[in-house]
């Protein structure tokens, strides 16, 4: 996501204070060539998924990149270039670095913000030339600080001999296992399409056909089960004669879907876009208008992996376990605002051994409203909230 595109968003707000901030969506580009991967290094301020982090500030990296819940080492998932230089000079270069714990299911997440003025010791005043053919593949400053395999800081946060692996990658190498960063893709950005009248979604999911038929027959449990069975013929021919058995089979179908996502991502994308999950929800007679809005937005912005709407509100995956209170910025004491969210469609589009370890409904990122400055250029932790998929809540008790 180009920094100037994010800057254009704030200019829209400043020029017309009555307008809502622009809502943007990010998509994965095709897998990069070796030459194109050089444009995903820090000198080009990329928005990207996977690979090694393109740390904006090549010093004072976060020291403890471990999970707040289980203590395991985090994995780099994504970084988002989001310049705010049009309203704050110290935010001309601005980057969000997102890390996840693949040991925790659903995943835990942590996010760090770094920012610099245009006039800084690390980068030229001029915009980098992406077409240059003499790009430097080496980055001596980061190589002295980071593991060559995963790109995370070596333990202790200080400098280390070039090529020294972190503890996690050292163990993998000792066991003969390859490094496992997420596959690397650049993120491109476009304006989001929003449903014209999202209130219509509420009516669409208010009462299922199965419920209507069951109510007409006196809401008898047997009649209800028969009605649901009839309406589910087009889904999976689910056996509904035994409610407990039906529950187990529904869970098995969901796991089967997840296996399909892993083996055939493109087909799974079509399923996710409004078929399998929505049919599963409908068959279970689940009334979740929030999930209906989420799938409607996805249908209009097919296969997007990131949604950016600084100062807007999150588009929650479902009605369960939404964030109620956003913690204030611990660095300046001011409020945090919604900035962006990582969408679950990303999981289907990633390939590799770590894909099956991603587990979330959506990851929402909240940042300091004033994008406060540290005393010296460094990384400030912001707040990332993981809303999990609500399988348990959607199953009738």
């Amino acid at each position: 996501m180009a920094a100037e595109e994010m800057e254009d968003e704030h200019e829209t707000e400043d020029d017309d204070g009555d307008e809502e901030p622009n809502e943007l969506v990010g998509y994965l580009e095709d897998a990069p060539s070796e030459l194109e991967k050089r444009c995903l290094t820090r000198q080009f301020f990329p928005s990207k998924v996977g690979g090694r982090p393109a740390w904006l500030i090549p010093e004072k990296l976060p020291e403890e990149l471990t999970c707040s819940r289980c203590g395991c080492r985090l994995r780099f998932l994504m970084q988002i270039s989001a310049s705010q230089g049009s309203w704050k000079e110290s935010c001309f270069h601005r980057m969000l670095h997102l890390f996840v714990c693949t040991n925790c299911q659903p995943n835990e997440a942590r996010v760090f913000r770094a920012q610099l003025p245009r006039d800084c010791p690390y980068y030229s005043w001029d915009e980098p030339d992406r077409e240059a053919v003499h790009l430097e593949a080496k980055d001596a400053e980061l190589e002295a600080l980071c593991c060559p395999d995963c790109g995370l800081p070596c333990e202790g946060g200080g400098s280390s001999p070039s090529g020294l692996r972190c503890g996690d990658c050292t163990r993998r190498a000792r066991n003969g296992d390859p490094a496992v960063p997420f596959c690397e893709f650049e993120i491109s950005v476009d304006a989001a399409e929003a449903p014209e009248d999202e209130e219509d979604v509420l009516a669409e999911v208010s009462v299922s056909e199965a419920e209507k038929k069951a109510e007409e027959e006196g809401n008898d449990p047997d009649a209800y089960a028969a009605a649901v069975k009839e309406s589910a013929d087009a889904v999976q021919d689910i056996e509904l004669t035994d409610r407990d058995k039906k529950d187990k089979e529904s869970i098995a179908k969901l796991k089967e879907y997840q296996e399909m996502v892993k083996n055939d991502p493109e087909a799974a994308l079509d399923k996710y876009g409004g078929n399998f999950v929505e049919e599963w929800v409908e068959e279970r007679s689940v009334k979740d208008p929030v999930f209906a809005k989420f799938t409607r937005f996805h249908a209009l912005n097919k296969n997007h992996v990131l949604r950016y709407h600084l100062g807007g509100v999150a588009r929650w995956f479902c009605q369960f376990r939404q964030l109620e209170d956003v913690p204030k910025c611990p660095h300046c004491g001011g409020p945090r605002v919604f900035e962006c969210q990582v969408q679950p469609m990303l999981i289907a589009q990633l390939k590799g051994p770590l894909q099956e370890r991603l587990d979330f409904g959506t990851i929402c990122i909240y940042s300091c409203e004033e994008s406060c400055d540290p005393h010296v250029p460094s990384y400030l932790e912001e707040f990332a909230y993981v809303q999990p998929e609500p399988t348990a809540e959607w199953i009738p008790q």
Side-chain angles (χ1 to χ4, degrees), residues 3 138 188 323 334 336 355 385:
K138 300 290 185 179
S188 61
L323 180 65
R336 282 190 173 115
Q355 180 196 46
Y385 179 76

Side-chain angles (χ1 to χ4, degrees), residues 157-175:
S159 61
S160 60
S162 179
L164 182 65
R165 292 186 174 98
C166 67
D168 187 55
C169 290
T170 298
R171 286 190 293 272
R172 295 190 63 83
R174 186 185 305 125
N175 296 332

Side-chain angles (χ1 to χ4, degrees), residues 151-221:
L152 271 62
C154 291
E155 283 81 350
S159 61
S160 60
S162 179
L164 182 65
R165 292 186 174 98
C166 67
D168 187 55
C169 290
T170 298
R171 286 190 293 272
R172 295 190 63 83
R174 186 185 305 125
N175 296 332
D177 298 327
V180 284
F182 290 105
C183 295
E184 190 172 32
F185 297 93
E186 186 172 12
I187 299 175
S188 61
V189 67
D190 200 356
E193 290 190 42
E196 292 184 3
D197 189 356
E198 294 187 315
E199 294 304 316
D200 290 345
V201 179
L202 297 175
E204 292 177 10
V205 299
S206 58
V207 181
S208 69
E209 291 301 319
E211 282 184 297
K212 290 179 182 178
K213 186 169 183 179
E215 290 173 0
E216 291 172 358
E217 299 184 19
N219 210 24
D220 178 78

Side-chain angles (χ1 to χ4, degrees), residues 301-340:
N301 302 276
K302 198 74 170 178
N303 304 343
H304 76 286
V305 300
L306 175 70
R307 172 178 171 264
Y308 190 94
H309 196 177
L310 181 62
V313 295
R315 286 186 179 270
W316 297 109
F317 183 80
C318 64
Q319 62 185 338
F320 300 102
R321 287 187 271 185
Q322 298 181 13
L323 180 65
E324 296 182 358
D325 297 312
V326 180
K328 291 185 176 181
C329 175
H331 314 293
C332 69
R336 282 190 173 115
V337 296
F338 174 81
E339 183 157 356
C340 58

